[in-house]
Amino acid sequence: WHSLNKAEWHGGDKFLSLIKTLATKEIAHTPRPKRHPVTIDHLIALCDSLSPTNTFDAAVLAVALCAFWGCCRFGELIIPSSNVFSTRLHASRSTPIKYRSQHGGSESVHFHIPFTKTERQRGADLSFTSRPVLCPVDALCRHLDLNANVPSDAPLFAFISADGSRLPMTKEWFLGRCCEIWKWHNLDFIHGHSFRPGGTTELLLRGVPPEAVAKEGHWNSLAFSFIPSMITVLTRPLIHITRHRAP
């Protein structure tokens, strides 16, 4: 693109190295139906409709905001079904959670997950920073407070049901509640994987460097930049620079 348009390259050497690494990989293209990313509108609908005092709704909102802002895969936060939980693969309520104060008055929360798709058994450290609205830190704290009586060997996002049972948050229950709300608001149908590209797109739109986004989402390369919605976001500032450069 830069060669064809005679545009100056403004990316750093590390960014260029990651792009070159990606270009040398053999990527299999499997046709899939178009999947819309989760957007800020989807999150606002959840915040407006989920009850802040309901234990199940609190867990749903915590998962949604953490998955979005942390660019997480679903398997890093919740389990596919109620009978497959394992502390070797999933974070539990006994997982140490650290809270830190950041410059400027913001707060962040950090915890380790034992397994990821890319790092395998080495796991990864997840971190979430507070925000004025749609805050993952507030949502996580509310969930942990309302569901404080969940046993330590239960999944991290387990909740207390109306009859007092302790139940794990599964993908089916989570998406079922989210899609129920989004249907009321006439928003796009969303798949579980849509949170990761949605959060990635939003961070890029807010000016977060691609390298930082790759680190946040545990990408081993800048493969996300080849997702159609990402290409638009990443090339927008370069096109703007080229069009507004003095002759």
Side-chain angles (χ1 to χ4, degrees), residues 142-215:
R142 185 180 303 112
H143 156 64
L144 295 175
D145 182 53
L146 289 179
N147 292 296
N149 291 329
V150 169
S152 61
D153 59 350
L156 180 60
F157 290 95
F159 61 95
I160 302 173
S161 66
D163 64 2
S165 301
R166 278 70 168 174
L167 300 175
M169 177 62 69
T170 64
K171 180 179 179 180
E172 180 181 3
W173 287 347
F174 172 79
L175 285 179
R177 183 66 170 127
C178 289
C179 290
E180 178 185 27
I181 291 172
W182 292 332
K183 185 177 180 179
W184 295 341
H185 291 267
N186 296 315
L187 294 170
D188 291 328
F189 174 78
I190 294 299
H191 296 264
H193 182 66
S194 298
F195 279 85
R196 184 167 162 83
T200 301
T201 302
E202 184 63 28
L203 290 175
L204 292 171
L205 285 171
R206 295 188 179 212
V208 179
E211 300 95 325
V213 176
K215 182 178 180 180

Side-chain angles (χ1 to χ4, degrees), residues 3 13 28 38 45-46 62 70 72 101 113 130 139 145 153 164 190 206 229:
S3 298
D13 292 338
V38 170
L46 292 181
C72 298
S101 297
I113 54 176
S130 63
D145 182 53
D153 59 350
I190 294 299
R206 295 188 179 212
S229 61

